Amino acid sequence: MKATIALLPGDGIGPEVTAAAQAVLEEAFGQFGHRLEFRQALIGGAAIDALGDPLPADTLETCQASDAAFLGAVGGPQWAASETRPEEGLLRLRKHFGLFANLRPIPVFPPLAALAPVRAEILSGVDLLFVRELTSGLYFGPRQEQGEGANGEGERAFDTMEYSVQEVERIAHVAFRAARRRRRRVTSVDKANVLASMRLWRSTVDGVAKQYPDVHCEHMLVDAAAMHLLRTPAAFDVVLAGNLFGDILSDGASVLSGSLGLLPSASLGGERFGVYEPVHGSAPDLAGQGVANPVGAILSAAMLVRHSLGLEDLALCIETAVARALDSDRLTQDLLLHGPNSSPPLTTGEMTEAILQHLGCGVFLAV
Ligand code: IPM
Ligand code: MG
């Protein structure tokens, strides 16, 4: 087959991890005899600097003409005072393509258990998938910025958490369908004891749950979920959450993996097209040093291959190569922070190279 992928490197470490994902995709596609075309486009702060818009029309057209988009990261302190923020580009991209379902698996690699900030026995049996609602909630409800007031005093600003039954239903279906392919358990996270929008969330999820009698459904308040996810993570299967709570909890759960740098994500709508990005941000303090962990980006590329291109064996091949490369004491610096390891950390390029070397699937399939 021939696939076209839009590459949106963005800001900070975004370009470095995007290059790593691109190298792995090229190698894997070559081995499987598929053809691949990349089209690069601007997003975030880089697009503000070049064109004054974090999501230029040209970027949307490039995405429109592609099977999927890969995004590095957006944001950085240099745009903190800018009138339009880099993050707005990402939010508009998600909204434009109706990418309401954000899948965030928490990969736990047994060889890394000793390096995670959480005790190894707590990690045993962990296999978690976050299903985060991505185009509504507090991120997209009615808002008013400081200085936008009727008489311009700028004394007050607000954001609104708003959900409709239809918005909750469609993301709940994604969670329950995913649970059917896994351990058949959905934990829906909300704050129904305080927020009206979250009471609607809970009753709507209950309605959807009735259509999946084979899946166990439970509700958990977000504050309790933050604690239980780190105390008894193996008890969870699919965690269903709104936009803000899913954002916060998935960063928190990254400590189960050992590093935020390992986490991939897929943002999907009703079509095959999706946007794939590592969960980590632009990490301005690491940018340009070649030390960022490329694994979150490379695992996002595997999700792209699976969900937008339907090439399951190619996705598995990339994931296997990553798992093998992580079964080593040569790791990137983010993973070595908590362990006794004393070997010098790998650079982004060296880690990518290690994964490329384990991509032996072309040969394997030919046998
Ligand atoms: C994420 C990021 C984004 C979000 C930011 C960069 C807008 O934190 O994808 O998790 O909050 O959704
Ligand atoms: Mg986030």
Side-chain angles (χ1 to χ4, degrees), residues 75-244:
Q78 61 270 56
W79 300 284
S82 135
E83 205 175 304
T84 42
R85 299 187 58 96
E87 290 80 1
E88 209 186 292
L90 176 56
L91 300 182
R92 275 167 49 201
L93 179 71
R94 291 169 177 170
K95 194 73 174 176
H96 179 88
F97 288 102
L99 307 173
F100 66 89
N102 189 216
L103 307 185
R104 297 187 160 188
I106 306 292
V108 172
F109 300 97
L112 299 184
L115 302 179
V118 174
R119 284 204 313 276
E121 65 262 30
I122 290 181
L123 296 176
S124 153
V126 171
D127 178 12
L128 256 170
L129 172 70
F130 278 88
V131 175
R132 169 189 175 198
E133 198 289 325
L134 203 60
T135 51
S136 185
L138 198 60
Y139 278 50
F140 290 94
R143 67 196 309 183
Q144 183 176 292
E145 306 244 6
Q146 240 182 352
E148 273 181 12
N151 35 22
E153 322 101 301
E155 287 292 315
R156 192 182 285 267
F158 63 81
D159 303 276
T160 317
M161 190 182 286
E162 189 174 43
Y163 271 112
S164 70
V165 166
Q166 184 258 344
E167 285 166 342
V168 180
E169 277 178 353
R170 64 181 182 179
I171 192 68
H173 280 293
V174 172
F176 282 96
R177 281 200 301 265
R180 273 197 170 150
R181 295 188 298 270
R182 300 168 48 91
R183 288 180 290 131
R184 294 175 186 262
R185 188 178 190 92
V186 170
T187 306
S188 174
V189 172
D190 61 41
K191 190 72 187 174
N193 54 343
V194 178
L195 305 173
S197 58
M198 293 287 95
R199 282 192 280 278
L200 178 110
W201 176 281
R202 188 176 283 213
S203 61
T204 306
V205 170
D206 271 335
V208 173
K210 290 201 177 74
Q211 299 170 46
Y212 300 84
D214 53 320
V215 177
H216 178 81
C217 174
E218 64 176 354
H219 301 281
M220 202 177 274
L221 296 173
V222 62
D223 42 358
M227 184 266 290
H228 286 299
L229 276 165
L230 295 183
R231 221 173 59 108
T232 52
F236 293 83
D237 178 19
V238 174
V239 180
L240 166 64
N243 208 338
L244 181 71

Side-chain angles (χ1 to χ4, degrees), residues 11 13 49 71 77 109 168 191 232 243 285 306 308 346 352:
D11 311 318
I13 58 171
D49 289 350
L71 186 138
F109 300 97
V168 180
K191 190 72 187 174
T232 52
N243 208 338
D285 50 323
R306 172 174 295 122
S308 281
L346 293 185
T352 308

Side-chain angles (χ1 to χ4, degrees), residues 17 31 40 60 97 105 191 195 210 244 262 287 320 336 351:
V17 299
Q31 287 189 9
Q40 196 138 329
L60 280 178
F97 288 102
K191 190 72 187 174
L195 305 173
K210 290 201 177 74
L244 181 71
L262 296 170
T320 306
L336 299 175
M351 188 73 218

Side-chain angles (χ1 to χ4, degrees), residues 18 20 26-27 61 94 104 201 255 257 277 293 330 348:
T18 302
E26 257 161 8
E27 174 65 22
E61 277 165 34
R94 291 169 177 170
R104 297 187 160 188
W201 176 281
V255 301
S257 268
E277 50 176 316
N293 189 339
R330 306 283 333 273
T348 309

